[in-house]
Amino acid sequence: MELFQEGTYRPIGVLFDTPVYRQIFQNCWHMPSYKVHVAMVAELLRLQKENQLLSEVTPEDMARHLHVMSKRSLRVQLLDFQLQEYDNDDDDEVRMLLSMAREVNDSMRMRDIQLDAQRLISAPELMPPNFISAKMMKEAKAIGEALTERHQQTSCSEHLQQPRDVVLDVVPKVLQGLWVPKPRLFLTMPSMKLDKMAVGVTKGVEDGVLVALGSTTHEVNMSRSTRDEMITSIIKTLHEAYPKDIRRKMLNTFSPQLMHHVAEVTAEQITALFQPRGKQEDTMSLPEEPTTLHEKPKSLHVEPTSLPEEPTSLNEEPTSLHEEAKSLPEETTSLHEQSPVKVEESRKKKKSRMNRFIRWMQKRIFTRIHPQ
């Protein structure tokens, strides 16, 4: 639980105060381009409603296509140029983290665009006058033809994904399903407020999944329907774990307990995709601090019973957190057979190792991307 503070994941906390992260954030949540994309997806949906666009093309396809097209803009190319500074072996950790931060924000932005465009179609009276123009309609028709051609060339809805790909595809959408309010205000980019929390939880899930799998070389066939079923399952599990009023309070305050639980449940379900049943490990483990900056991290198990308690109404953890108790490493079981003094000493050692890892990660990020 200590890994999560209100809205942040401690190991990467220093990232959010750096100029490069602010540049990523501002580049993604750029309101003028956001409105253009909402208007374009709305026009594509209108064409689809009038049978001028293949019905199998989804709003997600539309938003993603526009996102790819936007990479040609000068604004995005300038950011790409700035990020090239980290494209070398020595900066691999930082480069991967910046890439994750960018992809998480872009994913949430695309989802917000889809929802705003779908709302415009269902409530045309909300359509701003400047969203409709002859030029927009002409461009939408050309984009619709490109989307149709691409869909017809794609023969399989499944494609191979590695653990990081699945994490990036699933986690931001889970967080939006939990945190974005309903009804939502139109054209407010509501997921923008989730940026730090979403990047942190995504990183936490990735850490848990990679420690459980022990390698990044795993691959799995993943379809959108499988992904959407997983997202629904994760959100349902979390909803069932807390009464509605308590859950609302925890959501509003970015409760560390809830963020930890989200990361744990999500990591468990993603890990299950890559592991045969019966071989799953505890997914909320974190790497131990390396002795050098280039040494591969070792695993450090974060014992569930060491989680600090929330207010009295939340003292009892949801039973779903420990349903897989039999699959926990033997170290966890043996601790309960030791004396209370030894158990306490073990917990202190784990806490110390975890804090060393956090300091190492923060130092690594700080020395590379913090302003001088």
Side-chain angles (χ1 to χ4, degrees), residues 14-82:
V14 296
L15 170 70
F16 304 119
D17 293 327
T18 61
V20 66
Y21 181 80
R22 288 193 292 271
Q23 192 70 20
I24 290 172
F25 176 83
Q26 292 167 4
N27 188 280
C28 173
W29 300 105
H30 181 253
M31 181 58 85
S33 64
Y34 180 87
K35 289 181 177 179
V36 169
H37 285 190
V38 171
M40 186 63 73
V41 173
E43 178 60 21
L44 289 167
L45 289 172
R46 187 190 67 80
L47 291 174
Q48 192 174 58
K49 195 173 181 180
E50 296 179 356
N51 298 318
Q52 299 184 51
L53 175 59
L54 198 67
S55 60
E56 287 80 6
V57 175
T58 67
E60 182 175 352
D61 294 326
M62 300 171 189
R64 184 163 294 280
H65 183 82
L66 293 174
H67 174 67
V68 172
M69 289 178 62
S70 71
K71 293 181 179 180
R72 306 170 191 166
S73 70
L74 178 61
R75 177 175 53 83
V76 176
Q77 289 180 0
L78 285 173
L79 178 60
D80 290 338
F81 179 76
Q82 289 178 305

Side-chain angles (χ1 to χ4, degrees), residues 10 51 69 164 191 270 298 312:
R10 282 182 61 200
N51 298 318
M69 289 178 62
R164 182 183 177 89
S191 300
I270 292 176
K298 300 177 182 178
T312 52

Side-chain angles (χ1 to χ4, degrees), residues 27-289:
N27 188 280
C28 173
W29 300 105
H30 181 253
M31 181 58 85
S33 64
Y34 180 87
K35 289 181 177 179
V36 169
H37 285 190
V38 171
M40 186 63 73
V41 173
E43 178 60 21
L44 289 167
L45 289 172
R46 187 190 67 80
L47 291 174
Q48 192 174 58
K49 195 173 181 180
E50 296 179 356
N51 298 318
Q52 299 184 51
L53 175 59
L54 198 67
S55 60
E56 287 80 6
V57 175
T58 67
E60 182 175 352
D61 294 326
M62 300 171 189
R64 184 163 294 280
H65 183 82
L66 293 174
H67 174 67
V68 172
M69 289 178 62
S70 71
K71 293 181 179 180
R72 306 170 191 166
S73 70
L74 178 61
R75 177 175 53 83
V76 176
Q77 289 180 0
L78 285 173
L79 178 60
D80 290 338
F81 179 76
Q82 289 178 305
L83 295 180
Q84 286 177 7
E85 176 186 350
Y86 308 98
D87 286 346
N88 61 69
D89 292 339
D90 291 339
D91 298 326
D92 189 56
E93 301 99 330
V94 175
R95 179 181 59 80
M96 294 293 283
L97 184 55
L98 292 174
S99 174
M100 172 175 285
R102 190 178 188 182
E103 290 187 56
V104 167
N105 277 283
D106 284 341
S107 174
M108 294 194 299
R109 176 183 183 272
M110 285 187 279
R111 180 62 176 162
D112 279 357
I113 287 170
Q114 296 169 49
L115 295 177
D116 273 346
Q118 289 171 311
R119 188 176 179 188
L120 279 180
I121 293 300
S122 61
E125 67 276 6
L126 295 175
M127 182 77 73
N130 61 342
F131 272 32
I132 305 173
S133 67
K135 181 180 179 180
M136 177 76 69
M137 296 171 69
K138 182 179 180 180
E139 290 182 4
K141 194 167 183 179
I143 290 172
E145 291 172 356
L147 285 166
T148 298
E149 182 179 355
R150 175 179 295 179
H151 183 84
Q152 292 171 340
Q153 292 174 350
T154 305
S155 58
C156 182
S157 61
E158 293 187 346
H159 57 285
L160 284 174
Q161 288 190 331
Q162 294 185 343
R164 182 183 177 89
D165 302 322
V166 177
V167 169
L168 287 168
D169 202 16
V170 169
V171 180
K173 295 176 179 64
V174 167
L175 300 177
Q176 285 176 297
L178 288 168
W179 264 275
V180 174
K182 296 178 181 180
R184 42 181 280 153
L185 297 176
F186 180 60
L187 289 178
T188 59
M189 303 190 298
S191 300
M192 176 174 62
K193 297 179 181 179
L194 306 182
D195 71 301
K196 296 176 184 178
M197 183 273 290
V199 173
V201 173
T202 303
K203 177 59 177 169
V205 172
E206 183 191 44
D207 289 346
V209 170
L210 295 185
V211 167
L213 295 176
S215 169
T216 61
T217 59
H218 295 73
E219 289 185 328
V220 66
N221 275 317
M222 186 80 165
S223 66
R224 284 187 183 175
S225 60
T226 301
R227 179 203 66 189
D228 293 343
E229 288 172 4
M230 177 182 292
I231 292 169
T232 300
S233 173
I234 293 168
I235 292 174
K236 181 180 179 182
T237 299
L238 293 164
H239 279 179
E240 291 174 348
Y242 307 97
K244 187 175 181 180
D245 56 337
I246 293 176
R247 186 175 73 243
R248 185 182 297 114
K249 179 180 178 181
M250 297 173 80
L251 291 170
N252 290 340
T253 59
F254 290 115
S255 162
Q257 178 181 346
L258 181 58
M259 288 191 291
H260 174 90
H261 197 180
V262 171
E264 183 181 55
V265 172
T266 307
E268 285 176 355
Q269 294 210 23
I270 292 176
T271 300
L273 285 175
F274 297 91
Q275 289 184 330
R277 186 168 295 180
K279 294 186 179 181
Q280 297 177 25
E281 302 175 17
D282 176 37
T283 57
M284 285 312 295
S285 297
L286 288 170
E288 181 182 354
E289 177 192 13

Side-chain angles (χ1 to χ4, degrees), residues 1-6 8-9 200-201 204 256 259-260 263 284:
M1 186 70 68
E2 299 173 353
L3 291 177
F4 291 95
Q5 297 174 326
E6 291 186 4
T8 60
Y9 179 61
V201 173
M259 288 191 291
H260 174 90
M284 285 312 295

